[in-house]
């Protein structure tokens, strides 16, 4: 466990211990070891706690609060307070990291910039076949995915193409960089300036809203979606509601209209 990590990884999770175990296994394989991991746990049961304890060699802190519905933004803010580094990378516990994830984000970081990565979805049957051994071997290959029975999509170019080609694709892609929950990073000082995540937010766009306030602050999004792609494992999502999505969209429209930087419902109350 590092006293002065260069980067803090904040991983959100909720009652998906099997997926979280695979996610954490991928962070054991990072080529750059100079980071800490903070688990932002939105009220999981004892199974998740036991899983995290099995990774005590790489997990610095398990931040938890009681289950009271979807409160991801609230637990993420608590995790920000606990982070030791001045640079933070956010992902979800249902995502597998490539071995160079930490290196890419550290080498790509800039002042007044946040980094926008991406993810590649696996379907249910392929996700069920993911093991520790596959992650240790190298999951991010055409051959490995085909062996899983996965039908390769063009988006797989985001991690199977040579790195130099992926860097070029990031420069020319028309896709707008956004702050997303599965793979984004930024300076802790910038997150504090916008008061972190808006804790009113339900599921759906709650991560992007943070990025929109960062942009209003003058922090530019930088696209690294081809260099920094997570593999997203399948699971059911029982927390999506039309009402929640509409509520979030109204907040985001207000942020856009008013060019808001600060939320009154964030780190500082």
């Amino acid at each position: 466990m590092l006293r002065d990590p260069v980067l803090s990884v904040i991983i959100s999770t909720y009652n998906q211990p099997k997926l979280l175990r695979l996610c954490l296994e991928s962070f054991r394989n990072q080529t750059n070891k100079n980071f800490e991991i903070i688990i932002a746990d939105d009220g999981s049961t004892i199974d998740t706690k036991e899983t995290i304890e099995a990774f005590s060699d790489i997990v610095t802190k398990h931040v938890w609060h009681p289950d009271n519905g979807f409160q991801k933004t609230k637990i993420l803010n608590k995790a920000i307070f606990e982070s030791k580094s001045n640079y933070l990378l956010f992902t979800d516990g249902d995502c597998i990291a490539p071995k160079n994830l930490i290196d890419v984000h550290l080498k790509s970081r800039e002042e007044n910039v946040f980094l926008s990565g991406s993810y590649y979805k696996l379907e249910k049957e392929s996700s069920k076949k993911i093991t520790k051994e596959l992650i240790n071997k190298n999951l991010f290959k055409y051959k490995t995915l085909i062996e899983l029975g996965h039908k390769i999509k063009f988006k797989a170019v985001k991690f199977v193409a040579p790195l130099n080609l992926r860097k070029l694709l990031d420069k020319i892609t028309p896709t707008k960089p956004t702050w997303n929950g599965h793979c984004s990073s930024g300076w802790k000082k910038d997150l504090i300036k916008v008061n972190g995540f808006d804790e009113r937010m339900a599921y759906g766009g709650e991560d992007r809203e943070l990025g929109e306030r960062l942009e209003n602050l003058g922090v530019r999004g930088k696209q690294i979606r081809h260099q920094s792609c997570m593999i997203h494992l399948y699971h059911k999502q029982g927390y999506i509601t039309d009402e929640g999505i509409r509520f979030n969209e109204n907040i985001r429209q207000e942020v856009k209209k008013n060019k808001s930087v600060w939320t009154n419902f964030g780190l500082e109350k």
Side-chain angles (χ1 to χ4, degrees):
M1 193 175 294
L2 300 172
R3 289 186 178 181
D4 299 303
V6 175
L7 180 147
S8 299
V9 180
I10 296 178
I11 303 175
S12 62
T13 191
Y14 174 70
N15 281 335
Q16 295 287 350
K18 292 182 179 179
L19 301 187
L20 180 61
R21 180 177 291 275
L22 295 171
C23 171
L24 290 173
E25 197 64 53
S26 71
F27 280 98
R28 269 192 176 147
N29 291 334
Q30 290 299 302
T31 53
N32 188 322
K33 308 292 186 183
N34 196 0
F35 65 95
E36 67 169 355
I37 293 178
I38 300 169
I39 305 295
D41 185 348
D42 194 16
S44 301
T45 59
I46 191 67
D47 291 349
T48 294
K49 183 175 183 292
E50 291 172 350
T51 294
I52 293 167
E53 287 173 350
F55 288 85
S56 60
D57 57 315
I58 59 170
V59 175
T60 303
K61 194 87 173 181
H62 177 197
V63 184
W64 179 91
H65 60 194
D67 187 356
N68 189 26
F70 184 88
Q71 297 184 103
K72 178 185 174 183
T73 50
K74 185 175 182 179
I75 200 65
L76 287 175
N77 280 341
K78 289 181 179 179
I80 291 171
F81 276 124
E82 295 292 341
S83 62
K84 296 178 182 176
S85 170
N86 61 9
Y87 196 78
L88 311 180
L89 188 157
F90 293 78
T91 189
D92 292 326
D94 54 13
C95 293
I96 307 300
K99 294 180 179 181
N100 67 342
L101 181 76
I102 302 298
D103 263 330
V104 166
H105 280 260
L106 287 175
K107 290 175 181 177
S108 302
R109 60 184 176 167
E110 301 175 34
E111 287 293 325
N112 298 314
V113 165
F114 71 83
L115 302 176
S116 176
S118 63
Y119 68 94
Y120 181 87
K121 282 188 175 183
L122 285 191
E123 72 284 0
K124 184 176 181 179
E125 291 306 312
S126 295
S127 294
K128 285 162 60 176
K129 296 175 185 176
I130 303 299
T131 63
K132 170 183 174 179
E133 290 70 30
L134 271 179
I135 292 170
N136 291 339
K137 182 181 176 182
N138 194 347
L139 182 57
F140 291 77
K141 288 184 176 180
Y142 269 124
K143 183 180 178 181
T144 306
L145 293 177
I146 291 171
E147 288 173 353
L148 288 171
H150 174 67
K151 186 177 180 181
I152 300 292
K153 292 170 278 191
F154 176 75
K155 289 182 179 180
V157 70
K158 289 188 289 187
F159 55 83
V160 297
L163 182 58
N164 286 339
L165 174 58
R166 286 186 277 137
K167 287 181 178 180
L168 175 62
L169 290 172
D170 280 335
K171 289 181 179 180
I172 64 175
T173 180
T175 306
K176 182 182 183 296
T178 60
W179 186 282
N180 57 71
H182 45 265
C183 189
S184 291
S185 65
W187 297 96
K188 185 175 180 178
K189 64 182 180 181
D190 292 335
L191 299 185
I192 291 172
K193 286 178 183 177
V194 299
N195 206 25
F197 291 88
D198 189 316
E199 295 182 6
R200 295 173 295 169
M201 300 286 277
Y203 179 88
E206 72 280 1
D207 300 293
R208 288 195 175 196
E209 190 272 343
L210 171 68
E212 287 156 358
R213 281 186 285 114
L214 284 170
E215 289 177 331
N216 290 340
L217 179 67
V219 179
R220 175 177 59 88
K222 179 181 176 181
Q223 190 64 268
I224 59 168
R225 65 196 309 264
H226 294 90
Q227 298 171 69
S228 178
C229 179
M230 311 287 282
I231 285 185
H232 180 274
L233 302 177
Y234 172 88
H235 63 91
K236 291 181 179 179
Q237 294 177 316
Y239 36 78
I240 303 174
T241 66
D242 292 339
E243 180 183 4
I245 290 173
R246 285 195 298 271
F247 179 79
N248 286 6
E249 184 58 30
N250 288 336
I251 292 176
R252 291 177 65 191
Q253 287 300 322
E254 285 296 314
V255 166
K256 182 178 180 180
K257 176 183 176 182
N258 299 324
K259 299 187 184 306
S260 304
V261 168
W262 184 267
T263 174
N264 291 324
F265 305 90
L267 291 165
E268 180 184 316
K269 307 295 189 296

